[in-house]
Amino acid sequence: MTFAHAHLLGIEPLAPADITAILDLAESYVVLNRSEAKHGDALRGLTQINMFFEESTRTQASFELAGKRLGADVMSMAMQASSLKKGETLIDTALTLNAMHPDLLVVRHPQSGAVELLAQKVRCAVLNAGDGRHEHPTQALLDALTIRRAKGRLHRLSIAICGDIAHSRVARSNILLLGKMENRVRLIGPPTLMPAGISEFGVEVFDDMRAGLEGVDVVMMLRLQKERMDGGFIPSEREYYHRYGLDAEKLAVAKPDAIVMHPGPMNRGVEIDGEIADDINRSVIRDQVEMGVAVRMAAMDLLAQGLRARREA
Ligand code: NCD
């Protein structure tokens, strides 16, 4: 299995074959993770540092577990509480890191492009765990694996991404990935939460849930990212739920076997009805979390293989 990229900064630079390579390897890690002794050695001897400059629960835990299961020495640095507050620049942080000789660096940062900047300055493989509104590649990959397992394929599906598209790096990475794999992507949300120029991405845009969800195979809900809004995007949460919240009535126009997804964390009663989120016949939200660990193991494994090959050359 060959993976020619030194970093995983986004879906944008990946070819369909790269995406398939990650998902296929992740399948074997799903099996490993369901077994009793959940240990591989693909990252043995390597040091993985997680730097989260922005809050995270599941993504950070998932990367930590993924590294540990493959035998890496894993360290997570709580960056909000550390040097950033004391005024250290990202470049200084990178130089400090180089001195610690990490092999894998997992970074989440509130600014779009910050992770790529860091990748240019450090001597290790960098994985983007979410940068601003830009990309969140491992989320799109875990979503893809979840869809592929639930639907038996990852092409020619009709997929609706709904809600706060404008602030969502999850939406951006998913639009890119699902487009590369030749699916039909529909975006549904209020015009105030739709980024300008979005139709150039080859997607169909709707501002009405019933029209947009008609006949889709997959319904992907997004969190209303209140922390990225400075007011005026929605009239009220109640009104938002009424028009854009996923409930049984709106879901009824999708295909009868349509699956429901959400990257978490969920605002129950704002973008999604709690009962639908918990409905084991429709919701694959728990599967997404499970696939997250496997996909991150696969991505770090492939990057480490490349790292070792380059070091030996
Ligand atoms: C997403 C994120 O941080 O971009 N969450 C996640 O990674 N599970 C989506 C979100 O915060 O709404």
Side-chain angles (χ1 to χ4, degrees):
M1 218 172 294
T2 53
F3 188 74
H5 304 270
H7 308 287
L8 180 60
L9 300 176
I11 297 298
E12 191 150 29
L14 301 185
D18 295 323
I19 294 166
T20 304
I22 297 172
L23 301 188
D24 289 349
L25 182 57
E27 288 286 359
S28 71
Y29 286 131
V30 174
V31 176
L32 181 77
N33 289 337
R34 287 182 182 180
S35 70
E36 200 175 303
K38 304 168 188 54
H39 275 288
D41 60 4
L43 304 181
R44 188 164 55 200
L46 301 185
T47 297
Q48 173 192 337
I49 300 185
N50 302 328
M51 293 174 84
F52 281 68
F53 295 92
E54 206 183 68
E55 299 289 333
S56 167
T57 323
R58 83 197 65 210
T59 305
Q60 186 171 339
S62 178
F63 267 111
E64 247 183 77
L65 212 50
K68 286 180 176 163
R69 288 199 178 152
L70 291 182
D73 290 316
V74 185
M75 186 185 68
S76 293
M77 295 168 77
M79 297 308 294
Q80 288 108 321
S82 97
S83 4
L84 202 64
K85 286 253 161 70
K86 300 180 187 164
E88 186 176 87
T89 67
L90 204 57
I91 305 305
D92 288 329
T93 306
L95 298 177
T96 308
L97 275 168
N98 279 337
M100 297 185 196
H101 300 288
D103 304 287
L104 295 153
L105 187 61
V106 179
V107 188
R108 170 170 286 192
H109 199 284
Q111 277 158 332
S112 306
V115 182
E116 182 158 6
L117 182 71
L118 202 60
Q120 291 163 8
K121 305 288 173 192
V122 293
R123 290 189 298 265
C124 63
V126 176
L127 293 101
N128 181 1
D131 65 324
R133 305 176 186 188
H134 179 228
E135 281 233 40
H136 191 353
T138 57
Q139 179 70 45
L141 288 161
L142 75 86
D143 289 339
L145 185 59
T146 308
I147 294 170
R148 196 174 81 167
R149 289 172 63 99
K151 294 280 142 205
R153 66 180 199 273
L154 187 60
H155 59 272
R156 273 186 281 122
L157 292 167
S158 181
I159 296 159
I161 306 179
C162 316
D164 186 357
I165 315 279
H167 298 100
S168 179
R169 52 197 175 208
V170 174
R172 215 172 161 280
S173 289
N174 265 301
I175 291 165
L176 292 167
L177 189 154
L178 295 169
K180 282 177 198 270
M181 305 312 276
E182 293 178 21
N183 296 282
R184 282 187 304 277
V185 178
R186 299 176 178 186
L187 304 180
I188 316 173
T192 49
L193 294 177
M194 229 20 106
I198 191 68
S199 42
E200 286 160 35
F201 279 80
V203 294
E204 273 184 279
V205 178
F206 295 82
D207 67 2
D208 179 78
M209 284 287 269
R210 285 169 197 83
L213 291 179
E214 182 80 49
V216 297
D217 300 287
V218 176
V219 184
M220 191 181 282
M221 301 307 299
L222 298 171
R223 182 174 65 88
L224 197 59
Q225 303 209 0
K226 295 177 239 178
E227 78 280 11
R228 294 191 207 279
M229 298 183 190
D230 36 24
F233 285 93
I234 57 160
S236 72
E237 285 185 5
R238 205 162 152 252
E239 176 68 14
Y240 184 83
Y241 181 69
H242 176 66
R243 294 202 51 191
Y244 296 101
L246 186 67
D247 57 19
E249 194 202 322
K250 295 189 192 93
L251 183 59
V253 303
K255 289 224 178 98
D257 62 352
I259 54 168
V260 174
M261 309 178 74
H262 193 301
M266 267 186 286
N267 293 307
R268 288 173 186 257
V270 179
E271 69 262 357
I272 189 165
D273 171 32
E275 274 184 41
I276 292 202
D278 298 331
D279 180 350
I280 52 163
N281 296 314
R282 306 308 292 267
S283 164
V284 293
I285 297 171
R286 299 287 166 270
D287 302 276
Q288 288 174 273
V289 178
E290 180 183 5
M291 296 311 127
V293 180
V295 150
R296 288 166 180 129
M297 290 163 84
M300 290 196 289
D301 180 346
L302 290 172
L303 288 172
Q305 288 178 33
L307 198 68
R308 288 187 167 118
R310 272 192 305 282
R311 283 175 182 171
E312 278 161 22

